[in-house]
């Protein structure tokens, strides 16, 4: 029987949230654990990128998770839509909880459901946003230096840096060279 269920790789979510989602409980026969069903259930959590279930005989189940990294908040009306660098919606909040994340303005989401990809009225802006977020993540000196990105005019994308310097990125062309 299972005596312990451990969780590794989590920081945004608690071990209890992940274990509860898995459906794995102590006292149950370890051979009756449906690892695939538990994995799929855990991966339905928007913050989870990947999950693995390891049976450690005789009585421990280890759940190893990889969480999505928060990249930015898309400000829309009175909401902050938290996304990763690929545009996956991780959560929808009333306030920007993490001051280190980039605030994105000038975009109009048409659909924003946690766990799904962000859908914008202008698909070109989404591609530009994903490209910029990837470039910012890869640039060693930039990850915490960008405060906001404004897409109001797609021919004049602007970034505000943490030192209040405004950077005009111009059009959504060759962004990797402009970084």
């Amino acid at each position: 029987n299972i005596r312990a269920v451990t969780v590794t790789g989590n920081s945004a979510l608690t071990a209890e949230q992940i274990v509860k989602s898995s459906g794995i409980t102590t006292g149950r026969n370890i051979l009756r654990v449906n690892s695939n069903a538990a994995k799929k259930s855990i991966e339905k959590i928007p913050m989870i990128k990947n999950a693995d279930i390891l049976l450690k005989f005789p009585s421990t189940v280890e759940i190893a998770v990889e969480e999505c990294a928060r990249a930015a908040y898309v400000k829309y009306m009175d909401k902050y839509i938290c996304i990763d660098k690929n545009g996956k919606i991780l959560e929808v909040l009333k306030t920007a909880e993490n001051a280190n994340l980039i605030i994105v303005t000038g975009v109009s989401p048409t659909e924003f459901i946690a766990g799904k990809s962000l859908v914008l009225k202008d698909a070109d802006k989404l591609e530009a946003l994903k490209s910029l977020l990837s470039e910012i993540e890869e640039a060693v000196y930039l990850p915490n230096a960008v405060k906001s990105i404004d897409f109001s005019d797609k021919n004049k994308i602007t970034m505000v840096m943490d030192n209040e310097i405004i950077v005009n990125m111009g059009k959504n062309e060759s962004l990797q060279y402009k970084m």
Side-chain angles (χ1 to χ4, degrees):
N1 288 347
I2 300 171
R3 288 195 195 130
V5 181
T6 61
V7 179
T8 60
N10 60 314
S11 61
L13 298 168
T14 66
E16 292 77 25
Q17 290 171 304
I18 295 167
V19 171
K20 183 177 180 183
S21 177
S22 75
I24 299 170
T25 56
T26 56
R28 198 168 164 199
N29 186 325
I30 196 166
L31 297 174
R32 294 207 175 268
V33 171
N34 185 338
S35 297
N36 287 334
K39 175 182 171 69
K40 286 179 183 171
S41 181
I42 294 167
E43 288 176 348
K44 285 182 184 174
I45 301 171
M47 285 296 297
I48 300 295
K49 186 177 188 176
N50 185 32
D52 289 307
I53 311 298
L54 307 164
L55 303 179
K56 293 189 169 182
F57 291 96
S59 61
T60 302
V61 177
E62 183 179 304
I63 301 171
V65 296
E66 180 184 356
E67 294 179 337
C68 297
R70 294 177 174 109
Y73 290 117
V74 175
K75 183 156 180 20
Y76 182 66
M77 296 170 69
D78 63 342
K79 299 196 177 346
Y80 288 87
I81 305 163
C82 185
I83 61 170
D84 70 2
K85 71 176 183 177
N86 299 313
K88 179 184 177 185
I89 300 170
L90 306 178
E91 54 193 344
V92 179
L93 306 164
K94 291 192 184 294
T95 59
E97 294 175 352
N98 185 338
N100 292 327
L101 290 185
I102 298 165
I103 305 286
V104 178
T105 57
V107 295
S108 299
T110 56
E111 186 177 299
F112 48 96
I113 300 165
K116 306 280 184 196
S117 284
L118 182 67
V119 178
L120 300 180
K121 196 179 281 186
D122 186 340
D124 289 343
K125 286 184 179 181
L126 180 61
E127 290 309 309
L129 174 59
K130 292 191 309 190
S131 175
L132 259 178
L133 291 175
S134 289
E135 292 299 327
I136 289 168
E137 181 187 65
E138 289 175 23
V140 178
Y141 54 90
L142 279 180
N144 289 321
V146 180
K147 278 176 56 175
S148 65
I149 303 171
D150 184 1
F151 283 90
S152 298
D153 179 351
K154 69 178 177 182
N155 293 319
K156 186 183 171 194
I157 299 167
T158 56
M159 294 191 313
V160 176
M161 308 307 280
D162 62 354
N163 56 5
E164 301 302 323
I165 292 175
I166 297 171
V167 179
N168 182 355
M169 299 296 290
K171 293 182 179 182
N172 175 25
E173 296 172 353
S174 307
L175 291 175
Q176 68 272 20
Y177 299 112
K178 295 176 185 179
M179 301 300 278

